[in-house]
Amino acid sequence: MVHKITLVQACEGLLRSKMAAGLSPHTIADYKNTFKKLFLFFDGEIPLQDISRKEMVEFFAWLQEDYISNPDGVAPRREKPLAPKTIRNIHTNLSAFWVWAIEEDFVHKNVVKGVDKPTASPPVIEPYTKDDVAALLKACDMSHSWKTSASIANTRPTADQDQVVIMEINPICAHLA
């Protein structure tokens, strides 16, 4: 028998369950961020069992096409669409949420399971150029200038050691030393 519960109540229940299981604060925060997006799309008072696979497809399409992230925090950041990896993580969180809801007899099936998991390619890593490595090696020699006197800079006692580390990481450019 399915017990009636709202989306908000179910989300709060999952969070309490995950906290009781000792999940990290970062994992709990990730679930909370997922639920914030879910509440922007759905009315939080909707009965959980009324959410369909079709509506979840629409939710993920909305995340892909229309949702604009406005990151908070100390450093200012620009508004931007969600990264594919973030949307994939939201899918994983919501799938776990529906599995929990089935175990708690709040729903009969996992409506997220029927939604294809978004693809996320690994980020492209741009290698350092020879000029970049040369600049890094040069930067090892002197400390930053002081705020009060731009002309003051000190030699760094660890310059040779720092240069060796850079050359070990970038053996192709070691000849620049």
Side-chain angles (χ1 to χ4, degrees):
M1 181 176 121
V2 173
H3 303 350
K4 293 209 178 240
I5 189 169
T6 66
L7 178 60
V8 168
Q9 291 169 329
C11 290
E12 289 171 357
L14 175 81
L15 289 173
R16 298 301 293 166
S17 174
K18 297 296 183 183
M19 285 182 216
L23 268 62
S24 79
H26 295 292
T27 302
I28 300 300
D30 194 43
Y31 274 106
K32 287 179 180 179
N33 284 330
T34 294
F35 295 154
K36 282 180 189 177
K37 291 166 185 61
L38 200 61
F39 298 149
L40 285 173
F41 188 80
F42 291 104
D43 173 15
E45 297 304 316
I46 186 174
L48 182 62
Q49 64 269 20
D50 288 355
I51 299 174
S52 68
R53 177 195 164 282
K54 182 180 180 221
E55 289 170 316
M56 291 309 296
V57 167
E58 290 300 320
F59 170 73
F60 282 102
W62 173 74
L63 287 177
Q64 297 268 7
E65 298 169 3
D66 299 323
Y67 182 82
I68 299 296
S69 173
N70 191 0
D72 57 1
V74 178
R77 297 180 185 119
R78 62 180 172 78
E79 292 181 347
K80 60 183 182 179
L82 292 176
K85 176 72 168 115
T86 301
I87 297 172
R88 188 174 177 91
N89 290 347
I90 291 169
H91 187 282
T92 300
N93 286 347
L94 292 177
S95 186
F97 170 67
W98 253 270
V99 166
W100 171 85
I102 291 168
E103 291 170 357
E104 296 294 321
D105 288 327
F106 297 136
V107 294
H108 289 299
K109 66 180 184 173
N110 183 343
V111 295
V112 177
K113 188 176 181 180
V115 179
D116 290 336
K117 190 176 266 198
T119 58
S121 303
V124 175
I125 298 172
E126 296 291 331
Y128 288 119
T129 65
K130 287 182 181 183
D131 290 341
D132 293 335
V133 175
L136 286 169
L137 292 170
K138 184 178 178 189
C140 292
D141 292 333
M142 303 296 283
S143 67
H144 287 288
S145 59
W146 297 13
K147 289 181 182 178
T148 56
S149 180
S151 64
I152 298 175
N154 295 324
T155 58
R156 296 184 61 244
T158 62
D160 291 340
Q161 178 182 355
D162 296 342
Q163 287 176 345
V164 168
V165 169
I166 291 169
M167 289 186 289
E168 285 296 318
I169 294 171
N170 299 285
I172 295 171
C173 299
H175 69 279
L176 297 172

